[in-house]
Structures are given as C-alpha cells and as structure tokens.
C-alpha cells in the first residue's frame, strides 16, 4: 500500500462544548452562557475508534482533521486517539486554540517518525489571548511543536472585530515566528439553517475589492486569496467527489456524512473490517458556500474548478513551520490518481440519484398514514418555531425589541421558548428576563400608543385563541387587567413581565399542553 500519497480526506468532529476561551463571535460562548453541559460523550472506546481508521480499510493513508465542537484538546480521549492515527501513518491536523500547555506536551510525546505527520492548526483568537495573558504561551507552543519535528501554524479568521488590531497581530507573528498567519475571510449567515439550506452565506467584513486588496497587501495569504475566489462558486452546479474521496465522522457516535451537511445511514465505527463505500455528493451539496473547504479544492475533490493551487501551494509552500515531508504529502491531488467520471457518466449518476429519490417519494406516499403525515407536519412546525425563537433571541441580544420588530413573535413562539428553557439550568430565569425585555421594548417604543389587549376568563379561553396572537397583544385574565394597566402606566416592566410569564404557565397547565405544543 502506498503510504506516500494521501487517498482520503476525513474530518473528525470531537463532541463537547468545553472551552477555556470566550470569543464573542463563537457559538461555544453562547452555549456556555446558558450553562449547557459541555462534556464530551463517546459511544466507542479509543482503541476501537483507531481500528476503524486502518489505512487498509480506507484504501491508503488519509489527511485527517480533528476539530472540536469546543476546544479540541479538552476531552482526554483526543490525545491517544490522535497518537493512534499518526502511528497508522495518517497525516493528522489538530485544530486547537493552542493554550493548553500540558495537552500540547502530551501530544508531542510520541516517536519522531509519527511526529512528522502531525500538523497543529493554532487558531489565533487575539483578544482572548491578550485578556488571559496567553500570547507568549501561544507562540511558545508553536515553536516547541516545530522544534519537536511536527508542523504548526497560526491561523486567523479575518472578522470585523479584529480589523482594528490587524497590524498588531501581523507584527507579533512576524516577530515571534518570522511569518504572517494563514487567514481566511469570516463566512457568515443569519442563521445556521440559512447557511446550510438556503444559500445565504456572506462574509463579515464583506469581501469588497478594496477589502480584499487591503488583506492581500498586508498578509500576502494565498489561502485567503483562493477562499475569496471560492465564494463565487455555486456549489450546487459543480460535481463534487466528497463522500467517495472524503468523509465527515462524528467521533462521539460514529455517524458518517459525505460532507458537513450531507447525511448517510452509515456508522463509521461499525463493521470496521469492511471498507467504507459511499457515493459522491455530486451536485447535492448541503451548504451554501464551500469557500472554507479549501483543502477540498486543493486536493482536487471538485476537478471541474480549474487552476486551483495544491494544498501545499495554498497553505505552506514558503513556510518554515512545516516540515518537508508534510509539504510533499499535501502537494498532490486525489483527482490525479482516482477515477473521474466522464460528462456522460456524471449525467447518468445524477439521473440515477433523481430516479432513486422519485422511487423513495412514491414509496413513502404509499406507506404514509394520516398519523405519519401529521407527525411530519408537526416536525416542520417545530422547525419553524425554532427559527422564530432564534430570531427572537437575536433581537434580545441586539436590543432591537421595538413594536415593529416584535410583531412576528406569537405566543406559540413563547410557549416553545419556555419548553426549551425548561430543559436548561436556570432556564426559568432566562425566560423571565426575555419577557421583561419584550415588555420594556414594547412600552418604551409605544409611549403614546395604547397597546392591544386580550382579556379573558379561564372558562372561555381556547388554545387557538391565544397561540396565534402576537406578543404585541397583551394577554391577561380579567382579574389582572387593572394591575396590568397600572403597571404599564407606572413603567413597572418587571410586573408586566411577571403577569405574562404567570399567564403562559397557567395557560399551558390548564389546557394540558404537552412539551412543544
């Protein structure tokens, strides 16, 4: 078996939301803000997981990116897992904030031959490094990784927050390492669903001609240059071999995806004595932009996109932080030694995909009972509720709770939010806080306008009467009407919020609504 050529690209997601940093732009910070349990759970032993990555099963060695949903190196299982993969001959890139000194030391405690295939991608979270006095530690860890024989590099996402500090960041990197950081634009979307399903990806700051010229002039990053180029590629109009030549594996469960949002029914950690067989994504990409999957382009997973540098040329060609063996291994394309479909074969493949889907839809429609159809509709409704809750929480965070902004929020949304809060520690406190901010926003923006009211008596209230009402219509029992009016007139938003919270809780209990109704 050829161990001098990368045959597969695999991303391994490490579960758990624990992190020692609190970057303002990171989803992990939001999770920890509301005390979500961040500990990693694994369904399989480390030994079993390592065996699943045997090169014989994959057709050769792989370029494996190990990245956490929190800080990658927090779960103790990660270090022996990475060491096992390196010992098998794989190239392993570990994505880390590079501040856990002891974990870095443990990672480097392996034979020199294995260290040659280790890459440590050191996310450069500048403001947090400064706040925690970790700048020196960050750069010292990069130097000791490289001195040990592995490869390491600073990696910067060019987000709005870092623009005032860009020169400072570049100067420190040049002083400490003699090199500028690798960088990419900050790809964003309004919601995860928009990014994954609706094609709503953008960048912040926007990649205008002036902005791109500014970054290219200061950082000279070919990775940034190519990432900006890939933003303009419609990923659903090109044929991609992810799935056939690459996988995404959930380390906690073994679930395998062809790419980051193209699911399969394969468990990577089952039947590990059998090769992994998976069809390519084709034109069914599950994300809005493949800009940040630059290694896919560099390794040739989308062959029809021409004139793409190799991954070495994009990332590390002139760098002294990568060892020669890694540069050689990253300097090839999988498309150069794997079968590529002819245009006729591509069309046949895509037609077969459509045919299979039509058969599945027909079979499903024949089998689906009224109850099953109702369950599907309920799932769709829950998804819609979740979108509204995310939008509401965004308004709360941005303090944009005006009458107009809140008009889309219904009591059905608030009931679903209460169900979510009830699953979280101190969720009732957060729920009350949101109601307070809603009432404050309503009354502060409508000082001279009489609010809408919906008064009722317990014995006449029906579910349908309240679920569809917007929260700009204040709901109160008759016995609370005067108290509500008096509290509003006095500007006592806490009292108004308390009436609304109590009302919603009483309403749910008395009507016997189950969770999520």
């Amino acid at each position: 078996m050829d161990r001098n050529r990368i045959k597969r690209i695999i991303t391994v997601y490490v579960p758990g939301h624990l992190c020692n940093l609190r970057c303002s732009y990171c989803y992990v910070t939001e999770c920890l803000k509301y005390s979500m349990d961040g500990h990693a759970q694994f369904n399989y032993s480390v030994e079993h997981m390592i065996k699943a990555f045997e090169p014989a099963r994959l057709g050769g060695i792989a370029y494996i990116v190990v990245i956490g949903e929190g800080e990658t190196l927090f779960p103790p299982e990660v270090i022996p897992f990475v060491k096992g993969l390196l010992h098998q001959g794989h190239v392993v890139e570990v994505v880390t904030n590079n501040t856990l000194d002891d974990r870095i030391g443990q990672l480097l405690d392996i034979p020199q031959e294995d260290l040659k295939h280790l890459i440590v991608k050191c996310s450069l979270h500048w403001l947090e490094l400064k706040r925690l006095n970790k700048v020196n530690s960050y750069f010292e860890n990069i130097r000791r990784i490289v001195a040990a024989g592995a490869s390491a590099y600073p990696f910067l996402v060019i987000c709005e927050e870092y623009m005032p500090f860009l020169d400072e960041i570049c100067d420190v990197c040049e002083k400490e390492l003699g090199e500028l950081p690798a960088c990419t634009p900050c790809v964003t979307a309004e919601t995860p669903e928009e990014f994954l399903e609706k094609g709503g990806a953008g960048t912040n700051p926007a990649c205008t001609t002036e902005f791109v010229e500014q970054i290219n002039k200061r950082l000279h990053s070919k990775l940034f240059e190519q990432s900006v180029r890939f933003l303009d590629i419609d990923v659903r109009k090109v044929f991609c071999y992810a799935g056939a030549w690459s996988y995404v594996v959930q380390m906690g469960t073994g679930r395998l995806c062809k790419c980051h949002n193209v699911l399969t029914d394969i468990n990577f950690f089952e039947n590990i004595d059998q090769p992994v067989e998976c069809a390519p994504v084709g034109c069914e990409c599950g994300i809005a932009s493949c800009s940040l999957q630059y290694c896919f382009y560099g390794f040739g997973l989308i062959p029809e996109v021409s004139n793409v540098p190799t991954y070495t040329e994009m990332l590390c060609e002139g760098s002294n932080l990568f060892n020669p063996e890694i540069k050689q291994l990253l300097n090839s394309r999988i498309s150069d030694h794997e079968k590529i479909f002819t245009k006729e074969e591509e069309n046949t493949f895509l037609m077969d995909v459509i045919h299979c889907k039509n058969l599945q839809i027909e079979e499903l429609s024949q089998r689906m009972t009224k109850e099953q159809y109702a369950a599907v509709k309920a799932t769709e409704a829950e998804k819609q509720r979740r979108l509204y809750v995310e939008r509401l929480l965004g308004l709360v965070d941005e303090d944009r709770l005006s009458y107009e902004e809140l008009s889309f929020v219904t009591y059905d949304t608030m009931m679903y939010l209460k169900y979510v809060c009830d699953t979280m520690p101190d969720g009732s406190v957060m729920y009350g806080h949101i109601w307070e901010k809603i009432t404050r926003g309503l009354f502060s923006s409508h000082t001279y306008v009489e609010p809408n009211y919906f008064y009722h008596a317990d014995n006449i209230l029906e579910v349908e009467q309240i679920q569809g009402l917007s929260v700009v219509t204040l709901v109160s029992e008759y016995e609370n009407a005067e108290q509500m009016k008096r509290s509003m007139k006095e500007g006592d938003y806490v009292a108004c919020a308390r009436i609304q919270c109590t009302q919603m809780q009483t309403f749910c209990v008395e009507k016997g609504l189950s969770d999520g109704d």
Side-chain angles (χ1 to χ4, degrees):
M1 181 178 297
D2 187 358
R3 289 182 177 258
N4 296 312
R5 178 181 290 168
I6 290 173
K7 300 297 291 291
R8 295 292 179 266
I9 302 171
I10 304 176
T11 300
V12 177
Y13 277 117
V14 180
H17 292 111
L18 292 179
C19 187
N20 58 322
L21 305 187
R22 295 294 181 271
C23 303
S24 62
Y25 48 80
C26 181
Y27 68 92
V28 176
T29 300
E30 286 300 304
C31 292
L32 295 174
K33 185 187 297 182
Y34 299 122
S35 303
M36 290 180 64
D37 182 13
H39 289 84
Q41 301 293 326
F42 298 89
N43 294 349
Y44 300 87
S45 69
V46 171
E47 293 74 19
H48 180 88
M49 290 189 286
I50 292 171
K51 286 180 182 178
F53 286 88
E54 280 290 345
R57 186 187 186 209
L58 304 176
I61 65 169
Y63 167 68
I64 302 175
V65 178
V66 180
I67 181 171
E69 294 174 353
E71 162 50 35
T72 307
L73 295 181
F74 256 128
E77 292 84 354
V78 171
I79 298 294
F81 175 71
V82 169
K83 289 181 177 181
L85 298 179
L86 290 168
H87 193 63
Q88 289 174 329
H90 298 299
V91 173
V92 183
E93 178 172 281
V94 178
V95 182
T96 172
N97 63 38
N98 200 38
T99 63
L100 302 181
D101 302 348
D102 291 343
R103 285 282 202 262
I104 296 295
Q106 295 166 16
L107 189 61
L108 298 178
D109 187 20
I110 52 176
Q112 182 71 25
E113 196 61 31
D114 294 347
L115 271 175
K116 290 180 182 178
H117 281 195
L118 173 65
I119 307 171
V120 182
K121 180 179 181 178
C122 307
S123 300
L124 183 50
H125 302 300
W126 182 244
L127 296 183
E128 280 295 279
L129 291 177
K130 292 180 69 174
R131 182 180 71 85
L132 297 173
N133 197 26
K134 290 283 188 179
V135 173
N136 291 337
S137 173
Y138 173 89
F139 287 107
E140 179 56 35
N141 282 333
I142 291 180
R143 287 191 290 268
R144 68 168 170 154
I145 292 166
V146 173
S151 303
Y153 65 103
F155 176 79
L156 180 68
V157 175
I158 309 291
C159 62
E160 187 74 49
E161 188 175 23
Y162 287 164
M163 290 306 296
F165 306 96
L166 198 57
D167 285 337
E168 180 182 356
I169 293 170
C170 291
D171 290 345
V172 171
C173 286
E174 289 180 309
K175 175 185 175 183
E176 297 288 342
L177 303 172
E179 297 185 12
L180 291 166
C183 63
T184 63
C186 180
V187 177
T188 62
E190 287 295 323
T191 65
E193 283 78 10
E194 192 170 79
F195 181 71
L196 296 175
E197 298 173 11
K198 299 180 183 178
T203 63
N204 186 25
C207 283
T208 62
T209 301
E210 294 75 19
F211 173 72
V212 172
E213 287 178 353
Q214 176 188 359
I215 298 303
N216 286 338
K217 183 178 180 180
R218 186 64 184 91
L219 285 114
H220 315 291
S221 173
K222 188 168 284 189
L223 191 63
F224 180 87
E225 174 189 304
Q226 292 297 316
S227 297
V228 172
R229 172 196 173 191
F230 300 149
L231 282 168
D232 294 329
I233 295 174
D234 187 337
V235 290
R236 295 178 178 92
K237 292 184 179 179
V238 291
F239 195 94
C240 179
Y241 286 86
W245 303 347
S246 74
Y247 323 118
V248 174
V249 177
Q250 299 292 339
M251 188 178 173
T253 63
R255 187 175 191 179
L256 182 142
C257 301
K258 295 182 182 181
C259 188
H260 298 275
N261 194 41
V262 183
L263 306 180
T264 73
D265 57 1
I266 299 172
N267 187 321
F268 187 79
F269 295 141
E270 293 181 359
N271 305 313
I272 62 175
D273 57 336
Q274 300 295 321
V276 180
E277 295 183 356
C278 191
V281 166
C283 297
E284 291 189 300
C285 189
I287 56 179
S289 171
C290 208
S291 170
L292 299 186
Q293 310 312 314
Y294 34 79
C295 68
F296 281 17
Y297 292 99
F299 278 109
L301 266 66
I302 312 177
E304 64 190 271
V305 178
S306 59
N307 300 318
V308 177
T310 66
Y311 197 30
T312 292
E313 291 168 340
M314 272 193 274
L315 180 65
C316 60
E317 187 170 38
S319 174
N320 293 318
L321 302 175
F322 290 76
N323 66 53
E325 190 166 332
I326 284 294
K327 288 184 178 181
Q328 182 179 351
L329 283 165
L330 302 187
N331 201 35
S332 64
R333 294 183 175 87
I334 297 176
S335 55
D336 290 342
H337 48 79
E338 292 282 356
K339 182 184 184 317
I340 298 176
F341 289 165
T342 64
K343 205 64 184 176
E344 183 178 350
E345 288 172 331
E346 273 188 20
N347 291 335
T348 300
F349 174 86
L350 296 174
M351 289 171 63
D352 286 344
V353 169
I354 294 172
H355 178 65
C356 288
K357 284 193 170 183
N358 287 337
L359 290 177
Q360 290 171 358
I361 293 170
E362 184 178 348
E363 181 183 354
L364 181 62
S365 64
Q366 291 173 352
R367 287 186 302 150
M368 186 177 288
T369 64
K370 289 183 179 180
E371 291 78 8
Q372 289 171 321
Y373 179 76
V376 170
K377 296 302 289 182
T379 301
E380 293 174 353
E382 182 171 337
K383 181 178 178 181
Q384 190 62 44
R385 289 189 190 109
R386 189 173 71 249
L387 288 173
Y388 282 142
V389 165
E390 289 177 354
R391 183 175 169 188
L392 171 61
L393 293 179
L395 293 178
V396 172
D397 285 342
E398 296 170 18
D399 202 20
R400 292 194 294 117
L401 293 165
S402 66
Y403 186 96
E404 292 75 17
E405 294 278 16
L406 285 168
S407 59
F408 80 92
V409 182
T410 65
Y411 282 92
D412 183 56
T413 301
M414 297 306 298
M415 290 161 66
Y416 185 76
L417 177 60
K418 184 178 186 306
Y419 157 64
V420 173
C421 289
D422 285 345
T423 67
M424 301 163 56
D426 298 324
S428 60
V429 176
M430 183 177 73
Y431 182 69
H433 174 66
I434 290 171
W435 260 119
E436 180 186 344
K437 295 203 73 168
I438 287 174
T439 51
R440 187 182 297 275
L442 281 175
F443 302 135
S444 62
S445 64
H446 262 63
T447 307
Y448 303 106
V449 179
E450 181 73 8
N452 299 320
Y453 298 95
F454 184 89
Y455 297 124
H456 67 87
D458 289 341
N459 61 343
I460 65 169
L461 182 63
E462 297 295 335
V463 173
E464 292 77 10
Q465 285 181 278
I466 187 172
Q467 281 184 291
L469 289 176
S470 169
V471 294
V472 299
T473 298
L474 302 173
V475 175
S476 173
E477 299 172 359
Y478 279 123
E479 63 188 55
N480 291 327
E482 291 305 318
Q483 182 186 351
M484 175 74 86
K485 285 188 176 182
R486 186 168 58 254
S487 298
M488 286 189 293
K489 187 174 292 187
E490 295 172 356
D492 190 349
Y493 307 121
V494 177
C496 294
R498 188 179 298 117
I499 292 173
Q500 294 293 70
C501 285
T502 303
Q503 166 60 43
M504 290 302 295
Q505 187 169 4
T506 304
F507 173 70
C508 292
V509 172
E510 289 182 352
K511 294 301 171 183
L513 298 178
S514 59
D515 287 346
D517 283 340

